[in-house]
Amino acid sequence: MKTPVCPRVMLVEALRDGRLGPQESASMERHVPTCAACSAAARELDVIGDAVRAPQPPATPLEHQRARLALLRRATEPAPARAPSWTPRAVLVAAAMALAAVLGWTGARMMGPATAPIALHMRPPPRLAPARETTLRPSDDARFERTRTAGLEVVTLSNGTLDLTVRPLGPGERFVVRTVDAEV
Ligand SMILES: [Zn+2]
């Protein structure tokens, strides 16, 4: 099936060049975004406009005419012909290759020896985030006292050892560890 050629495609360039009257201009402004042929022509004119603005020797009237004919020919081509390299068959082959790659990967994961390193790799990393809560792990012979008042927490250790993890303190908060001869 062929895409119908829009009779107004010739007016796209005229619109660009300001050769249309106000009413016709407004009408084309509304038409172009709704028309595949005309919007394709407008896009092509953008490309040509960029090329013209680039420092190049000016096109001869013949070159200009040829470019315009090529533009019109492309603008009126049926849509699928614009992407000849992506035929449905090529897309199918690409999809099959992608699927094979996925299956190959999953297959490797399910086979014994390959599973171990992947599993090792997938293991969550050790927790490095700051502790959310203060924890105390006293030794068997530890004797200590823990007191909390507003903004101040004091652990007084009188014997043994204490493994402490202190949560991040808010502004104005203090955490003090006292031993017989030291205060931290
Ligand atoms: Zn049109």
Side-chain angles (χ1 to χ4, degrees):
M1 203 166 86
K2 223 181 159 198
T3 310
V5 176
C6 178
R8 302 175 76 175
V9 78
M10 298 295 286
L11 295 175
V12 174
E13 196 175 0
L15 174 72
R16 296 257 161 160
D17 297 348
R19 284 186 273 120
L20 299 180
Q23 216 179 323
E24 216 178 354
S25 278
S27 166
M28 272 305 280
E29 301 268 25
R30 285 195 301 273
H31 169 76
V32 171
T34 67
C35 173
C38 289
S39 50
R43 278 196 300 277
E44 293 283 356
L45 281 171
D46 279 336
V47 173
I48 289 172
D50 289 342
V52 166
R53 275 188 289 279
Q56 274 177 4
T60 64
L62 181 64
E63 283 170 340
H64 183 76
Q65 186 62 26
R66 276 185 186 149
R68 195 173 161 172
L69 281 172
L71 158 67
L72 287 173
R73 223 174 286 130
R74 264 176 289 164
T76 54
E77 264 170 10
R82 264 182 240 150
S85 58
W86 283 100
T87 61
R89 190 190 167 85
V91 171
L92 197 68
V93 168
M97 280 165 72
L99 188 67
V102 168
L103 287 176
W105 182 72
T106 334
R109 277 195 70 188
M110 285 193 275
M111 277 186 279
T115 310
I118 289 167
L120 203 67
H121 186 70
M122 299 291 278
R123 196 177 286 164
R127 263 189 65 195
L128 295 171
R132 289 249 186 113
E133 279 173 15
T134 299
T135 57
L136 287 81
R137 284 190 296 276
S139 62
D140 288 338
D141 59 340
R143 275 193 294 135
F144 67 96
E145 198 178 295
R146 187 179 181 184
T147 60
R148 256 182 286 201
T149 55
L152 175 66
E153 188 162 357
V154 180
V155 174
T156 308
L157 181 67
S158 48
N159 193 49
T161 60
L162 200 55
D163 186 8
L164 265 171
T165 307
V166 183
R167 68 168 169 79
L169 298 176
E173 280 188 313
R174 290 185 70 215
F175 191 96
V176 177
V177 180
R178 284 194 190 120
T179 62
V180 187
D181 55 2
E183 183 176 305
V184 179

